[in-house]
């Protein structure tokens, strides 16, 4: 039986205060607030570029990256100083741009994560008529571009690559 460990989750607007000794750092930031996000889509639309949401790629993703990457790199510099062995989980878009920037400038170990995998897992379970909690699955890919390589339920294989 696995030994249970105590964990504490701390959120703060003063990151230096809480980073010291951190084992896992979860990055979920929106730089400049949500009011700014509408311009990410409106400005490209003025030039004929229609995007349903542009937080990942295209002009809107680039806009978001330009304002988010500098703040992200500041967070990583603080982490290098205060918790250099922490695992960093990034849930902020544009995922690939942030992970690329981290890989090129920081010694921190960063993993980019995307909620689309869990959402797709729930959808596949529903369509297969099986409880999500009983599925055994594996998935590979990058932000919003993931593929299920294994999907099983009680030994029955639905997908296996």
């Amino acid at each position: 039986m696995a030994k249970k460990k105590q964990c504490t989750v701390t959120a703060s607007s003063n990151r230096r205060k809480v980073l010291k000794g951190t084992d896992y750092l979860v990055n979920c930031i929106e730089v400049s607030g949500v009011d700014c996000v509408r311009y990410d889509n409106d400005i490209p639309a003025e030039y004929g570029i229609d995007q349903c949401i542009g937080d990942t790629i295209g002009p809107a993703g680039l806009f978001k990256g330009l304002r988010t990457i500098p703040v992200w790199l500041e967070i990583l510099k603080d982490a290098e100083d205060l918790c250099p062995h922490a695992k960093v989980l990034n849930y902020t878009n544009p995922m690939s741009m942030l992970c690329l920037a981290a890989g090129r400038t920081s010694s921190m170990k960063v993993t980019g994560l995307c909620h689309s995998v869990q959402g797709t897992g729930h959808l596949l379970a529903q369509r297969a008529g099986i409880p999500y909690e009983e599925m055994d699955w594996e998935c590979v890919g990058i932000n919003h571009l993931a593929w299920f390589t294994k999907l099983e339920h009680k030994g029955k294989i639905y997908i296996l690559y």
Side-chain angles (χ1 to χ4, degrees):
M1 176 176 233
K3 193 175 192 179
K4 292 186 178 186
K5 292 186 177 185
Q6 290 291 96
C7 96
T8 303
V9 176
T10 306
S12 173
S13 59
N14 181 347
R15 69 177 174 259
R16 289 195 61 87
K17 181 178 175 182
V18 296
L19 280 177
K20 188 168 181 65
T22 291
D23 295 314
Y24 293 92
L25 188 161
V26 180
N27 182 53
C28 296
I29 60 173
E30 180 61 60
V31 177
S32 300
V34 293
D35 291 338
C36 188
V37 172
R38 75 179 197 106
Y39 295 109
D40 293 348
N41 294 313
D42 291 352
I43 293 170
E46 289 178 27
Y47 295 92
I49 300 171
D50 185 18
Q51 309 173 106
C52 63
I53 182 121
D55 64 354
T56 305
I57 61 171
L62 182 58
F63 293 163
K64 183 169 178 146
L66 288 171
R67 71 175 176 270
T68 305
I69 290 171
V71 176
W72 168 235
L73 296 180
E74 289 174 18
I75 292 168
L76 291 175
K77 285 195 184 315
D78 285 347
E80 287 172 351
D81 183 38
L82 299 167
C83 55
H85 302 293
K87 305 267 189 272
V88 182
L89 307 175
N90 179 49
Y91 263 106
T92 299
N93 280 323
M95 180 65 65
S96 59
M97 290 184 214
L98 268 66
C99 290
L100 180 63
R104 289 184 174 177
T105 64
S106 177
S107 61
M108 298 303 295
K109 302 291 185 209
V110 175
T111 301
L113 299 172
C114 175
H115 66 277
S116 70
V117 170
Q118 295 91 328
T120 302
H122 282 280
L123 177 68
L124 290 173
Q126 179 185 18
R127 289 192 178 165
I130 59 177
Y132 175 79
E133 300 77 24
E134 294 178 9
M135 285 187 0
D136 182 20
W137 54 269
E138 292 176 0
C139 195
V140 298
I142 59 172
N143 193 38
H144 299 300
L145 298 169
W147 292 266
F148 281 73
T149 57
K150 173 184 170 185
L151 178 57
E152 293 182 31
H153 178 249
K154 296 184 177 180
K156 182 176 180 184
I157 298 173
Y158 289 85
I159 299 172
L160 185 61
Y161 291 101

